[in-house]
Amino acid sequence: MKNVDYIIVGDGYAGLFFAHQLIKNNKSFVIFSEGRKSASQVSAGIINPVVLKKFTTFWLAQEQIDFLKESLREIESYTGKNYLINAPIHRVFHDESEQKLWLKKSDNSELSGFLNKDFYDLDGINNPFHTGKVNQSARLNVNGFFGDLFNYFNEHGQLIKEKFEYEKVNALDSVYKDISFKHIIFCEGMGVKNNPYFSDIAVIPNKGHHIRVKLLQAIQTDVTIKKKHFLFPIDGGLHFYGGTYDREQLHNHIDDSAVEQLRRGLSEVYPGDFEVSEVHFGFRPTVKDRRPIIGNHPEYRNFYVLNGLGARGILNGCYFSQSLYQHIEEGISLPDEVSLSRFS
């Protein structure tokens, strides 16, 4: 029998950032990964403190940005890699009224640290009304982050590459197969709907597509461009463009209409020819109030859920993994805004 402090079920941002909390605090754990790419693993990796449709911010944005940067420095201490790509977001303005709104919002105390008052012209794209730079924005090296952490877990005997079988859990004795655990954390995204302990939590799937394209004309590469969607360079001479949002077409294959939407959006911001090399999609677990869902099972008190991270999986997953860890280990109450109990 193997004894661990924690079992983590799920290999997206929630699971990996919670695993980091355990590494930092010298707790033993295993993490289950089916080997299929989660929504997190095909995500853009955008780190953005601003809602770019309305030029507003969100709850705890500065705190989440600061905590993420601290956490990535800690992760670098044991992987030896820095995953933060300092390529700030530049929002392409549609017209002069958006410029004026941006400047007006930049005087707001909540937004002054994020909305740069200077306007910019970017090379190689259509931006007749210039762009606004989002201070403190960046990207995560998604492939490097997941690849290196999985390698680290594997080397330390913490990675179990198989599907978690709920029927093999002895909940009363806190045993799964030949593993005895103190706590189990379910971080499964939309996979939670198959989880008999938390299948009824209020997460809503939001399907997102992105395309990987070859641009036939050069554009500026030290920024992340945003108009309708995000555009930035990735490995292999390709660019990422996406992603869409769809709560209706939830079948498990590519939607041609979403790909066409992306083609049209890219053509608006990029004047040259391009070739679509790949199409990817995933299902974000979203919540009506746009806040994560964190808490424990009413009967099995050492069974926890960390879910509902939505489109801000990096920031939410990083910040609230600490909230859950401190709740379990130190008895600190979860914020009411994210607690599972808010739905009861």
Side-chain angles (χ1 to χ4, degrees):
M1 181 73 69
K2 179 172 184 169
N3 297 301
V4 296
D5 296 315
Y6 288 84
I7 288 178
I8 301 171
V9 182
D11 58 3
Y13 289 124
L16 267 62
F17 279 119
F18 192 82
H20 168 61
Q21 290 295 317
L22 302 182
I23 291 169
K24 186 168 73 167
N25 290 282
N26 296 312
K27 299 294 183 180
S28 59
F29 70 94
V30 291
I31 181 167
F32 280 79
S33 171
E34 287 187 45
R36 296 187 302 172
K37 286 201 171 184
S38 64
S40 296
Q41 293 174 52
V42 299
S43 69
I46 300 295
I47 300 164
N48 176 24
V50 177
V51 180
L52 289 169
K53 280 188 178 180
K54 303 177 181 178
F55 307 154
T56 57
T57 189
F58 50 87
W59 182 53
L60 298 175
Q62 186 64 64
E63 290 87 344
Q64 291 193 35
I65 289 279
D66 292 342
F67 188 72
L68 174 66
K69 290 178 179 177
E70 176 187 343
S71 297
L72 290 176
R73 286 192 295 268
E74 293 168 351
I75 291 170
E76 183 180 0
S77 71
Y78 55 85
T79 66
K81 302 282 185 63
N82 176 8
Y83 304 104
L84 195 65
I85 301 171
N86 288 307
I89 295 167
H90 279 248
R91 169 62 151 79
V92 178
F93 295 123
H94 290 81
D95 49 39
E96 289 184 4
S97 64
E98 282 197 336
Q99 290 180 331
K100 292 176 181 177
L101 179 61
W102 180 282
L103 287 176
K104 180 181 178 181
K105 291 290 188 79
S106 69
D107 288 327
N108 182 298
S109 60
E110 288 189 342
L111 287 159
S112 60
F114 302 137
L115 301 185
N116 193 303
K117 288 180 176 290
D118 295 328
F119 294 154
Y120 298 82
D121 287 310
L122 299 184
D123 297 333
I125 68 163
N126 294 324
N127 57 139
F129 298 99
H130 313 298
T131 71
K133 175 182 167 184
V134 181
N135 294 332
Q136 303 189 60
S137 61
R139 296 198 312 270
L140 187 74
N141 176 354
V142 176
N143 287 340
F145 177 79
F146 281 99
D148 290 347
L149 280 172
F150 287 148
N151 285 338
Y152 181 89
F153 300 152
N154 194 45
E155 289 169 0
H156 289 79
Q158 297 159 330
L159 181 64
I160 299 180
K161 300 178 185 179
E162 61 185 52
K163 184 175 182 179
F164 188 84
E165 300 175 73
Y166 304 105
E167 65 276 12
K168 300 292 178 66
V169 177
N170 181 331
L172 294 177
D173 294 334
S174 297
V175 171
Y176 175 77
K177 294 185 176 179
D178 60 347
I179 304 171
S180 173
F181 59 89
K182 292 180 182 177
H183 311 281
I184 186 165
I185 317 296
F186 293 103
C187 312
E188 304 153 292
M190 288 314 307
V192 75
K193 290 302 182 181
N194 299 315
N195 183 326
Y197 304 103
F198 293 104
S199 60
D200 59 347
I201 67 168
V203 289
I204 305 162
N206 188 317
K207 189 176 184 178
H209 286 72
H210 77 258
I211 54 178
R212 301 184 181 197
V213 298
K214 182 178 181 181
L215 305 183
L216 302 186
Q217 293 176 205
I219 65 170
Q220 197 162 332
T221 58
D222 59 345
V223 297
T224 300
I225 299 163
K226 172 69 164 72
K227 193 175 184 184
K228 288 186 174 178
H229 307 286
F230 290 101
L231 174 65
F232 55 85
I234 53 177
D235 295 337
L238 299 178
H239 278 70
F240 179 110
Y241 185 71
T244 61
Y245 292 85
D246 191 343
R247 291 188 174 91
E248 304 300 327
Q249 302 296 322
L250 300 178
H251 44 70
N252 198 34
H253 57 78
I254 292 169
D255 295 316
D256 291 338
S257 60
V259 177
E260 182 56 30
Q261 177 187 338
L262 290 169
R263 284 180 176 273
R264 290 196 305 268
L266 180 55
S267 295
E268 284 185 26
V269 73
Y270 170 70
D273 293 328
F274 61 88
E275 299 170 356
V276 176
S277 297
E278 302 172 25
V279 180
H280 297 266
F281 69 90
F283 295 90
R284 310 174 188 92
T286 64
V287 186
K288 281 187 177 180
D289 62 9
R290 299 180 184 273
R291 305 244 167 110
I293 296 176
I294 310 172
N296 61 342
H297 192 273
E299 182 178 356
Y300 307 115
R301 307 298 291 177
N302 61 334
F303 284 37
Y304 295 86
V305 65
L306 174 57
N307 209 312
L309 304 186
R312 300 192 189 102
I314 297 171
L315 291 172
N316 281 332
C318 182
Y319 189 84
F320 291 108
S321 65
Q322 178 180 246
S323 299
L324 178 56
Y325 179 81
Q326 290 178 336
H327 175 65
I328 297 170
E329 295 290 341
E330 301 171 30
I332 298 173
S333 296
L334 291 166
D336 292 340
E337 293 89 344
V338 301
S339 175
L340 174 61
S341 64
R342 73 187 188 272
F343 296 104
S344 59

